[in-house]
Amino acid sequence: MANGRSAAGVSPGPVPRGRTRWGVVAAVLALPVLLVAGLLVLAVVWVLTDDEEQDGTRLKKVPCAEALAFGGAELPTGAEDAACTVQSWLDTNYQADFRMPRAGFDAWLAGTYPEAPEPGGPGTQACGHGSDYCFQLDVTDRPGTDAYYVNVDVTQVNAETVRVRYSAFTT
């Protein structure tokens, strides 16, 4: 035959040119779709299973003895309503908040930080609104401390009680 076909109209050899192989095209187009879908599934699984904090950016409750020891202090005798936390990642920041008898505060402070400035002295002018006494102390070279600085902020609750906000941190 002149056109290269058999009498039955079927080509005798390989697939004629110009015919699309849809299976190959579908496989090539499916790869990016499957890749994006897989990444989405991995992202959803990661978000749903990331309950455990690994980076330390959230506040965690800790014993107050640990929080105060980080800055070289101890919880004073008669302290009440003590709540302590730590936040640690690049830097470590321990915080303590407690109430104590006003009569014992001066003795606790003098025993813990004898180098603390007197109220109204240098380094105490930056107290926040409502604070009666505050200071920041460099404890970097002090033996037995892991902190670099300690902040103490004292507010008088009533004639017998003061509230102490304490933080010891590295920076």
Side-chain angles (χ1 to χ4, degrees):
M1 307 223 133
N3 65 6
R5 294 187 182 213
S6 67
V10 178
S11 88
V15 178
R17 293 180 184 229
R19 203 160 174 209
T20 305
R21 294 189 173 118
W22 289 109
V24 173
V25 171
V28 168
L29 292 177
L31 284 176
V33 171
L34 291 174
L35 182 65
V36 169
L39 290 174
L40 286 173
V41 167
L42 286 175
V44 167
V45 168
W46 177 67
V47 166
L48 294 177
T49 61
D50 193 28
D51 290 339
E52 302 258 342
E53 178 192 4
Q54 301 296 323
D55 62 4
T57 56
R58 296 184 190 119
L59 288 176
K60 295 178 186 171
K61 291 184 179 183
V62 294
C64 286
E66 177 184 329
L68 289 157
F70 189 74
E74 292 180 1
L75 195 63
T77 305
E80 299 175 346
D81 302 328
C84 299
T85 58
V86 65
Q87 183 178 19
S88 182
W89 189 55
L90 290 176
D91 297 320
T92 301
N93 183 7
Y94 280 92
Q95 297 180 5
D97 189 343
F98 56 90
R99 297 175 192 274
M100 67 177 293
R102 170 69 187 101
F105 175 75
D106 292 332
W108 173 76
L109 185 62
T112 305
Y113 300 113
E115 65 276 19
E118 294 291 325
T124 63
Q125 289 81 17
C127 294
H129 180 70
S131 178
D132 295 315
Y133 172 53
C134 72
F135 64 88
Q136 183 177 78
L137 195 61
D138 184 347
V139 294
T140 306
D141 296 326
R142 188 176 176 166
T145 63
D146 294 319
Y148 298 163
Y149 295 96
V150 168
N151 285 342
V152 177
D153 188 318
V154 182
T155 306
Q156 192 161 339
V157 176
N158 56 40
E160 294 89 28
T161 308
V162 292
R163 178 181 182 190
V164 179
R165 291 183 199 100
Y166 173 94
S167 65
F169 54 93
T170 59
T171 285

